[in-house]
Amino acid sequence: MRNFKKIAPRICAVLAFVILFESVARFAYEGWTTFSLASKRERSDLKGTIDTLYCGTSIAARGIQPVILDEALGTTGFNIATNTQPLKGTYYLIQETAEENPVKQIYLVLSVSTLKKEATDQEYLSAYEYLRTMRWKARYLLSVRSEGLTVSSLLYSTRISKYLNLKQVKKNVKKKLYRTVVQRYYGNRGWRARKTSYEGERAGKKNGFTGYWDGSKGAAQINEESLEYLYKIADFCREEGIELNLLLTPITQDYIDGAGDLDNLDEVCRVLAEEMDANYYNFMLYKERQTVFTNDLFEDYKHMNVEGSEVFSELLAEVLQSSDPQEYFYDSMEEFK
Protein backbone atom coordinates (compact mmCIF):
# COMPACT_ATOMS: atom_id res chain seq x y z
CA MET A 1 0.00 0.00 0.00
CA ARG A 2 2.86 2.35 0.85
CA ASN A 3 4.53 1.59 -2.49
CA PHE A 4 1.30 2.38 -4.30
CA LYS A 5 1.01 5.71 -2.50
CA LYS A 6 4.51 6.53 -3.68
CA ILE A 7 3.95 5.37 -7.25
CA ALA A 8 0.44 6.83 -7.77
CA PRO A 9 1.55 10.51 -7.89
CA ARG A 10 4.23 9.61 -10.44
CA ILE A 11 1.69 7.77 -12.62
CA CYS A 12 -0.66 10.74 -12.42
CA ALA A 13 2.17 13.11 -13.31
CA VAL A 14 3.11 11.02 -16.36
CA LEU A 15 -0.52 10.82 -17.52
CA ALA A 16 -0.95 14.57 -17.06
CA PHE A 17 2.19 15.20 -19.11
CA VAL A 18 1.04 12.86 -21.91
CA ILE A 19 -2.42 14.46 -22.05
CA LEU A 20 -0.91 17.95 -22.10
CA PHE A 21 1.65 16.97 -24.76
CA GLU A 22 -1.03 15.39 -26.96
CA SER A 23 -3.30 18.43 -26.64
CA VAL A 24 -0.46 20.75 -27.62
CA ALA A 25 0.57 18.50 -30.52
CA ARG A 26 -2.98 18.36 -31.90
CA PHE A 27 -3.52 22.09 -31.45
CA ALA A 28 -0.25 22.91 -33.21
CA TYR A 29 -0.26 20.38 -36.04
CA GLU A 30 -3.86 19.44 -36.84
CA GLY A 31 -4.89 21.52 -39.84
CA TRP A 32 -7.53 24.17 -39.18
CA THR A 33 -9.31 23.34 -42.45
CA THR A 34 -9.39 19.53 -42.15
CA PHE A 35 -12.85 18.15 -42.87
CA SER A 36 -13.17 16.51 -39.45
CA LEU A 37 -12.58 19.84 -37.67
CA ALA A 38 -14.81 21.75 -40.09
CA SER A 39 -17.60 19.19 -39.68
CA LYS A 40 -17.41 19.31 -35.89
CA ARG A 41 -17.50 23.12 -35.89
CA GLU A 42 -20.54 23.17 -38.16
CA ARG A 43 -22.37 20.53 -36.13
CA SER A 44 -21.60 22.49 -32.96
CA ASP A 45 -23.02 25.67 -34.52
CA LEU A 46 -26.17 23.79 -35.65
CA LYS A 47 -26.65 21.91 -32.36
CA GLY A 48 -30.33 21.51 -31.56
CA THR A 49 -31.56 22.09 -35.13
CA ILE A 50 -30.43 19.12 -37.28
CA ASP A 51 -33.39 16.94 -38.30
CA THR A 52 -31.94 14.97 -41.21
CA LEU A 53 -28.73 12.91 -41.45
CA TYR A 54 -26.97 11.56 -44.54
CA CYS A 55 -24.66 8.68 -43.69
CA GLY A 56 -22.20 6.28 -45.29
CA THR A 57 -18.76 6.22 -46.84
CA SER A 58 -17.03 8.58 -49.30
CA ILE A 59 -19.71 7.84 -51.92
CA ALA A 60 -22.25 9.58 -49.67
CA ALA A 61 -19.80 12.24 -48.46
CA ARG A 62 -19.12 13.37 -52.04
CA GLY A 63 -22.54 12.70 -53.52
CA ILE A 64 -25.04 14.42 -51.22
CA GLN A 65 -25.27 18.16 -50.60
CA PRO A 66 -27.57 18.77 -47.60
CA VAL A 67 -28.05 22.46 -48.45
CA ILE A 68 -29.65 21.60 -51.81
CA LEU A 69 -32.02 19.12 -50.15
CA ASP A 70 -32.79 21.56 -47.33
CA GLU A 71 -33.89 24.22 -49.83
CA ALA A 72 -36.21 21.77 -51.57
CA LEU A 73 -37.55 19.87 -48.55
CA GLY A 74 -37.50 22.50 -45.80
CA THR A 75 -35.17 20.41 -43.64
CA THR A 76 -31.95 21.07 -41.73
CA GLY A 77 -29.64 18.30 -42.85
CA PHE A 78 -26.07 17.25 -42.20
CA ASN A 79 -23.79 14.81 -44.01
CA ILE A 80 -21.87 12.71 -41.44
CA ALA A 81 -20.35 10.32 -44.00
CA THR A 82 -16.57 9.81 -44.05
CA ASN A 83 -14.11 7.93 -46.24
CA THR A 84 -14.39 4.13 -45.76
CA GLN A 85 -16.61 4.67 -42.71
CA PRO A 86 -17.50 1.31 -41.07
CA LEU A 87 -21.14 0.83 -40.11
CA LYS A 88 -20.10 0.63 -36.47
CA GLY A 89 -18.75 4.17 -36.81
CA THR A 90 -21.98 5.24 -38.52
CA TYR A 91 -23.99 3.85 -35.61
CA TYR A 92 -22.05 5.86 -33.02
CA LEU A 93 -22.10 9.06 -35.10
CA ILE A 94 -25.87 8.74 -35.49
CA GLN A 95 -26.36 8.26 -31.74
CA GLU A 96 -24.16 11.21 -30.81
CA THR A 97 -25.84 13.55 -33.30
CA ALA A 98 -29.37 12.38 -32.42
CA GLU A 99 -28.69 12.95 -28.72
CA GLU A 100 -28.12 16.66 -29.41
CA ASN A 101 -30.61 17.21 -32.24
CA PRO A 102 -34.26 16.48 -33.17
CA VAL A 103 -33.33 13.95 -35.88
CA LYS A 104 -36.42 12.77 -37.77
CA GLN A 105 -35.00 10.99 -40.83
CA ILE A 106 -31.78 9.24 -41.77
CA TYR A 107 -30.54 8.41 -45.28
CA LEU A 108 -27.94 5.64 -45.19
CA VAL A 109 -26.03 5.08 -48.44
CA LEU A 110 -25.02 1.47 -48.94
CA SER A 111 -22.39 0.14 -51.33
CA VAL A 112 -20.77 -3.20 -52.06
CA SER A 113 -17.76 -2.16 -49.98
CA THR A 114 -19.99 -0.99 -47.09
CA LEU A 115 -21.51 -4.44 -46.87
CA LYS A 116 -18.50 -6.65 -47.61
CA LYS A 117 -15.43 -4.96 -46.18
CA GLU A 118 -13.94 -5.76 -42.78
CA ALA A 119 -12.82 -2.45 -41.26
CA THR A 120 -9.18 -1.64 -40.50
CA ASP A 121 -7.94 0.50 -37.61
CA GLN A 122 -7.44 3.42 -40.00
CA GLU A 123 -11.05 3.13 -41.18
CA TYR A 124 -12.36 2.98 -37.61
CA LEU A 125 -10.27 6.10 -36.97
CA SER A 126 -12.03 8.02 -39.75
CA ALA A 127 -15.30 7.75 -37.81
CA TYR A 128 -13.61 8.41 -34.45
CA GLU A 129 -12.27 11.75 -35.69
CA TYR A 130 -15.80 12.89 -36.62
CA LEU A 131 -17.22 12.24 -33.14
CA ARG A 132 -17.45 15.53 -31.24
CA THR A 133 -17.63 14.57 -27.57
CA MET A 134 -15.17 12.60 -25.42
CA ARG A 135 -18.03 10.53 -23.96
CA TRP A 136 -19.02 9.14 -27.35
CA LYS A 137 -15.39 8.77 -28.40
CA ALA A 138 -14.72 6.67 -25.29
CA ARG A 139 -17.79 4.50 -25.96
CA TYR A 140 -16.64 3.96 -29.52
CA LEU A 141 -13.10 2.99 -28.53
CA LEU A 142 -14.43 0.53 -25.95
CA SER A 143 -16.68 -1.07 -28.57
CA VAL A 144 -13.87 -1.52 -31.11
CA ARG A 145 -11.30 -2.84 -28.61
CA SER A 146 -8.29 -2.32 -30.84
CA GLU A 147 -4.89 -1.45 -29.44
CA GLY A 148 -3.85 0.10 -32.76
CA LEU A 149 -6.94 2.32 -32.88
CA THR A 150 -6.52 3.34 -29.24
CA VAL A 151 -2.91 4.39 -29.81
CA SER A 152 -3.73 6.28 -33.04
CA SER A 153 -6.72 8.06 -31.55
CA LEU A 154 -5.36 8.98 -28.12
CA LEU A 155 -1.76 9.62 -29.16
CA TYR A 156 -2.16 12.17 -31.94
CA SER A 157 1.62 12.70 -31.92
CA THR A 158 2.06 9.28 -33.55
CA ARG A 159 0.40 10.72 -36.67
CA ILE A 160 2.76 13.69 -37.00
CA SER A 161 5.40 13.06 -39.67
CA LYS A 162 6.98 16.54 -39.88
CA TYR A 163 7.63 18.09 -36.46
CA LEU A 164 9.78 20.87 -37.94
CA ASN A 165 7.08 22.25 -40.24
CA LEU A 166 6.97 25.44 -38.16
CA LYS A 167 5.35 27.52 -40.89
CA GLN A 168 2.28 25.28 -40.79
CA VAL A 169 2.28 25.31 -36.97
CA LYS A 170 2.28 29.13 -36.94
CA LYS A 171 -0.60 29.22 -39.43
CA ASN A 172 -2.70 26.69 -37.50
CA VAL A 173 -2.13 28.32 -34.11
CA LYS A 174 -2.93 31.80 -35.40
CA LYS A 175 -6.18 30.69 -37.03
CA LYS A 176 -7.26 28.68 -34.00
CA LEU A 177 -6.50 31.48 -31.56
CA TYR A 178 -8.46 34.01 -33.61
CA ARG A 179 -11.08 31.45 -34.78
CA THR A 180 -10.58 32.54 -38.37
CA VAL A 181 -13.47 31.65 -40.67
CA VAL A 182 -11.94 29.56 -43.44
CA GLN A 183 -13.91 29.31 -46.67
CA ARG A 184 -13.29 25.81 -47.96
CA TYR A 185 -13.15 25.57 -51.74
CA TYR A 186 -15.99 23.03 -51.60
CA GLY A 187 -18.02 21.80 -48.70
CA ASN A 188 -20.93 22.56 -46.45
CA ARG A 189 -22.78 20.52 -43.83
CA GLY A 190 -20.19 17.71 -44.14
CA TRP A 191 -20.30 17.43 -47.95
CA ARG A 192 -17.07 17.58 -49.95
CA ALA A 193 -16.12 16.75 -53.54
CA ARG A 194 -13.61 17.40 -56.30
CA LYS A 195 -14.01 19.11 -59.64
CA THR A 196 -12.11 16.61 -61.79
CA SER A 197 -13.93 14.43 -64.34
CA TYR A 198 -13.57 10.69 -64.88
CA GLU A 199 -12.09 9.79 -68.26
CA GLY A 200 -13.30 6.18 -68.48
CA GLU A 201 -9.96 4.50 -67.75
CA ARG A 202 -11.54 1.35 -66.25
CA ALA A 203 -13.71 0.29 -69.20
CA GLY A 204 -14.04 -3.49 -69.33
CA LYS A 205 -12.21 -4.17 -66.05
CA LYS A 206 -13.62 -6.34 -63.27
CA ASN A 207 -13.85 -4.54 -59.92
CA GLY A 208 -11.77 -5.67 -56.95
CA PHE A 209 -13.13 -7.68 -54.00
CA THR A 210 -14.81 -4.74 -52.27
CA GLY A 211 -16.45 -3.59 -55.51
CA TYR A 212 -17.70 -6.93 -56.84
CA TRP A 213 -20.97 -8.61 -55.85
CA ASP A 214 -21.15 -12.38 -56.38
CA GLY A 215 -24.78 -13.25 -57.08
CA SER A 216 -24.22 -16.92 -56.22
CA LYS A 217 -23.31 -15.98 -52.63
CA GLY A 218 -25.95 -13.31 -52.06
CA ALA A 219 -26.36 -12.04 -48.49
CA ALA A 220 -23.66 -14.44 -47.27
CA GLN A 221 -21.09 -11.90 -48.52
CA ILE A 222 -22.14 -9.31 -45.93
CA ASN A 223 -19.55 -8.88 -43.22
CA GLU A 224 -20.78 -10.05 -39.80
CA GLU A 225 -20.08 -6.73 -38.07
CA SER A 226 -21.66 -4.73 -40.90
CA LEU A 227 -24.86 -6.76 -40.67
CA GLU A 228 -24.92 -6.45 -36.87
CA TYR A 229 -24.66 -2.66 -36.98
CA LEU A 230 -27.16 -2.30 -39.80
CA TYR A 231 -29.73 -3.89 -37.51
CA LYS A 232 -28.54 -1.81 -34.55
CA ILE A 233 -29.06 1.36 -36.60
CA ALA A 234 -32.54 0.12 -37.54
CA ASP A 235 -33.38 -0.71 -33.90
CA PHE A 236 -32.19 2.71 -32.76
CA CYS A 237 -34.32 4.44 -35.41
CA ARG A 238 -37.35 2.38 -34.42
CA GLU A 239 -36.91 3.19 -30.72
CA GLU A 240 -36.44 6.92 -31.38
CA GLY A 241 -39.20 7.26 -33.99
CA ILE A 242 -36.71 8.13 -36.76
CA GLU A 243 -37.53 7.31 -40.38
CA LEU A 244 -34.76 5.19 -41.92
CA ASN A 245 -34.02 5.21 -45.66
CA LEU A 246 -31.50 2.97 -47.46
CA LEU A 247 -29.98 4.23 -50.72
CA LEU A 248 -27.81 2.94 -53.54
CA THR A 249 -26.42 5.89 -55.51
CA PRO A 250 -25.73 6.22 -59.25
CA ILE A 251 -22.29 5.05 -60.37
CA THR A 252 -20.49 4.96 -63.71
CA GLN A 253 -21.24 2.34 -66.34
CA ASP A 254 -17.60 1.21 -66.01
CA TYR A 255 -18.19 0.34 -62.36
CA ILE A 256 -21.47 -1.41 -63.16
CA ASP A 257 -19.93 -3.46 -65.99
CA GLY A 258 -17.32 -4.85 -63.59
CA ALA A 259 -19.50 -5.14 -60.47
CA GLY A 260 -21.05 -8.58 -60.88
CA ASP A 261 -24.71 -9.38 -60.19
CA LEU A 262 -26.25 -6.05 -59.20
CA ASP A 263 -29.79 -7.41 -59.51
CA ASN A 264 -28.96 -9.83 -56.71
CA LEU A 265 -27.49 -6.92 -54.71
CA ASP A 266 -30.77 -5.06 -55.24
CA GLU A 267 -32.75 -8.09 -54.05
CA VAL A 268 -30.59 -8.43 -50.91
CA CYS A 269 -30.97 -4.71 -50.12
CA ARG A 270 -34.74 -4.87 -50.59
CA VAL A 271 -34.98 -7.73 -48.11
CA LEU A 272 -32.79 -5.85 -45.63
CA ALA A 273 -34.93 -2.72 -45.98
CA GLU A 274 -38.10 -4.72 -45.37
CA GLU A 275 -36.63 -6.39 -42.28
CA MET A 276 -35.41 -3.01 -40.99
CA ASP A 277 -38.72 -1.18 -41.63
CA ALA A 278 -36.80 1.17 -43.93
CA ASN A 279 -37.63 2.86 -47.22
CA TYR A 280 -35.38 1.84 -50.10
CA TYR A 281 -34.21 3.73 -53.21
CA ASN A 282 -31.85 2.17 -55.75
CA PHE A 283 -30.55 4.94 -58.03
CA MET A 284 -28.52 2.42 -60.01
CA LEU A 285 -31.96 1.58 -61.43
CA TYR A 286 -32.83 5.22 -62.18
CA LYS A 287 -34.35 5.11 -65.67
CA GLU A 288 -32.31 8.03 -67.02
CA ARG A 289 -29.06 7.00 -65.33
CA GLN A 290 -27.14 6.25 -68.53
CA THR A 291 -28.00 9.59 -70.13
CA VAL A 292 -27.92 11.81 -67.02
CA PHE A 293 -25.08 10.33 -64.92
CA THR A 294 -22.36 10.28 -67.54
CA ASN A 295 -18.62 10.13 -66.80
CA ASP A 296 -18.26 13.91 -66.60
CA LEU A 297 -20.35 13.90 -63.39
CA PHE A 298 -17.83 11.67 -61.60
CA GLU A 299 -14.30 12.27 -60.34
CA ASP A 300 -13.45 8.55 -60.67
CA TYR A 301 -15.36 5.40 -61.52
CA LYS A 302 -17.65 5.58 -58.45
CA HIS A 303 -17.38 8.98 -56.70
CA MET A 304 -19.42 11.92 -57.93
CA ASN A 305 -17.69 15.26 -58.48
CA VAL A 306 -19.08 18.70 -57.61
CA GLU A 307 -21.44 18.87 -60.61
CA GLY A 308 -22.53 15.27 -60.12
CA SER A 309 -23.41 15.81 -56.47
CA GLU A 310 -25.53 18.82 -57.43
CA VAL A 311 -27.43 16.79 -60.04
CA PHE A 312 -27.93 13.85 -57.67
CA SER A 313 -28.99 15.99 -54.69
CA GLU A 314 -31.62 17.73 -56.84
CA LEU A 315 -32.81 14.36 -58.16
CA LEU A 316 -33.00 12.86 -54.67
CA ALA A 317 -35.09 15.80 -53.48
CA GLU A 318 -37.40 15.38 -56.49
CA VAL A 319 -37.87 11.66 -55.84
CA LEU A 320 -38.55 12.22 -52.13
CA GLN A 321 -41.23 14.79 -53.01
CA SER A 322 -42.91 12.51 -55.56
CA SER A 323 -46.21 10.81 -54.81
CA ASP A 324 -44.96 7.79 -56.78
CA PRO A 325 -41.15 7.44 -56.36
CA GLN A 326 -41.12 4.04 -58.10
CA GLU A 327 -41.93 5.69 -61.43
CA TYR A 328 -38.31 6.90 -61.54
CA PHE A 329 -36.83 3.38 -61.45
CA TYR A 330 -36.66 0.20 -63.48
CA ASP A 331 -37.22 -3.12 -61.72
CA SER A 332 -33.92 -4.64 -62.82
CA MET A 333 -30.60 -3.86 -64.53
CA GLU A 334 -31.74 -5.94 -67.52
CA GLU A 335 -34.27 -3.30 -68.47
CA PHE A 336 -31.46 -0.89 -69.43
CA LYS A 337 -30.64 -3.22 -72.30
Side-chain angles (χ1 to χ4, degrees), residues 52 54-55 58-75 77-79 107 109 187-193 247-250 281 283 286 292-293 297-298 304-322 328-329:
T52 305
Y54 303 97
C55 313
S58 54
I59 290 176
R62 301 180 193 184
I64 299 177
Q65 294 194 43
V67 169
I68 290 177
L69 285 135
D70 288 348
E71 290 174 356
L73 304 176
T75 53
F78 207 97
N79 191 328
Y107 295 87
V109 174
N188 48 56
R189 309 277 180 89
W191 164 77
R192 82 299 307 263
L247 277 68
L248 291 174
T249 61
Y281 305 94
F283 284 88
Y286 173 52
V292 172
F293 289 96
L297 296 188
F298 293 83
M304 280 174 262
N305 58 24
V306 173
E307 186 180 354
S309 69
E310 291 173 356
V311 173
F312 177 62
S313 297
E314 290 169 357
L315 172 62
L316 177 57
E318 182 181 332
V319 170
L320 294 176
Q321 290 176 305
S322 173
Y328 288 84
F329 306 102

Side-chain angles (χ1 to χ4, degrees), residues 193-212:
R194 297 192 181 105
K195 208 170 185 179
T196 55
S197 295
Y198 175 60
E199 300 294 336
E201 301 92 342
R202 283 186 50 86
K205 294 181 181 179
K206 178 181 175 180
N207 299 342
F209 171 77
T210 57
Y212 185 84

Side-chain angles (χ1 to χ4, degrees), residues 48-308:
T49 66
I50 299 170
D51 55 30
T52 305
L53 294 178
Y54 303 97
C55 313
T57 60
S58 54
I59 290 176
R62 301 180 193 184
I64 299 177
Q65 294 194 43
V67 169
I68 290 177
L69 285 135
D70 288 348
E71 290 174 356
L73 304 176
T75 53
T76 302
F78 207 97
N79 191 328
I80 58 172
T82 61
N83 292 345
T84 62
Q85 184 180 111
L87 282 162
K88 177 179 280 190
T90 304
Y91 174 67
Y92 280 86
L93 278 162
I94 285 173
Q95 286 193 98
E96 181 190 56
T97 310
E99 184 179 72
E100 300 179 331
N101 296 277
V103 176
K104 298 300 181 186
Q105 52 265 330
I106 289 173
Y107 295 87
L108 175 57
V109 174
L110 300 177
S111 65
V112 177
S113 60
T114 307
L115 298 173
K116 291 181 67 174
K117 197 173 188 313
E118 186 174 338
T120 64
D121 285 345
Q122 189 62 36
E123 289 160 355
Y124 283 126
L125 186 63
S126 74
Y128 174 88
E129 289 291 352
Y130 267 66
L131 289 165
R132 285 200 322 107
T133 62
M134 287 308 301
R135 183 161 59 90
W136 281 104
K137 286 188 173 189
R139 288 180 177 181
Y140 183 54
L141 285 180
L142 290 172
S143 76
V144 177
R145 298 178 184 175
S146 163
E147 181 180 339
L149 175 63
T150 302
V151 170
S152 295
S153 56
L154 299 181
L155 301 180
Y156 183 81
S157 58
T158 62
R159 288 184 259 158
I160 300 171
S161 57
K162 296 181 180 179
Y163 277 97
L164 297 179
N165 189 355
L166 300 182
K167 184 177 180 180
Q168 185 62 40
V169 168
K170 181 180 178 181
K171 183 179 179 181
N172 283 336
V173 170
K174 182 179 179 181
K175 288 182 176 178
K176 287 173 181 176
L177 286 174
Y178 292 99
R179 293 192 61 81
T180 305
V181 177
V182 179
Q183 296 296 328
R184 286 165 293 145
Y185 191 54
Y186 299 121
N188 48 56
R189 309 277 180 89
W191 164 77
R192 82 299 307 263
R194 297 192 181 105
K195 208 170 185 179
T196 55
S197 295
Y198 175 60
E199 300 294 336
E201 301 92 342
R202 283 186 50 86
K205 294 181 181 179
K206 178 181 175 180
N207 299 342
F209 171 77
T210 57
Y212 185 84
W213 188 262
D214 187 341
S216 66
K217 295 179 180 178
Q221 296 168 90
I222 302 177
N223 177 272
E224 184 178 340
E225 182 183 274
S226 297
L227 189 61
E228 175 189 356
Y229 278 89
L230 267 177
Y231 283 114
K232 283 191 173 185
I233 290 170
D235 290 341
F236 177 76
C237 289
R238 198 176 294 114
E239 291 165 4
E240 298 298 321
I242 298 171
E243 179 187 82
L244 179 61
N245 303 270
L246 302 183
L247 277 68
L248 291 174
T249 61
I251 45 182
T252 65
Q253 192 63 44
D254 279 1
Y255 185 100
I256 289 171
D257 290 343
D261 192 344
L262 295 180
D263 280 330
N264 180 257
L265 173 65
D266 178 62
E267 182 182 338
V268 168
C269 289
R270 286 183 189 279
V271 171
L272 282 172
E274 185 175 349
E275 292 176 351
M276 296 166 66
D277 297 325
N279 300 316
Y280 172 64
Y281 305 94
N282 184 354
F283 284 88
M284 292 185 196
L285 295 176
Y286 173 52
K287 290 179 180 178
E288 304 300 323
R289 173 179 55 77
Q290 290 173 310
T291 53
V292 172
F293 289 96
T294 48
N295 286 348
D296 59 308
L297 296 188
F298 293 83
E299 66 170 86
D300 57 31
Y301 74 117
K302 63 179 180 180
H303 295 103
M304 280 174 262
N305 58 24
V306 173
E307 186 180 354

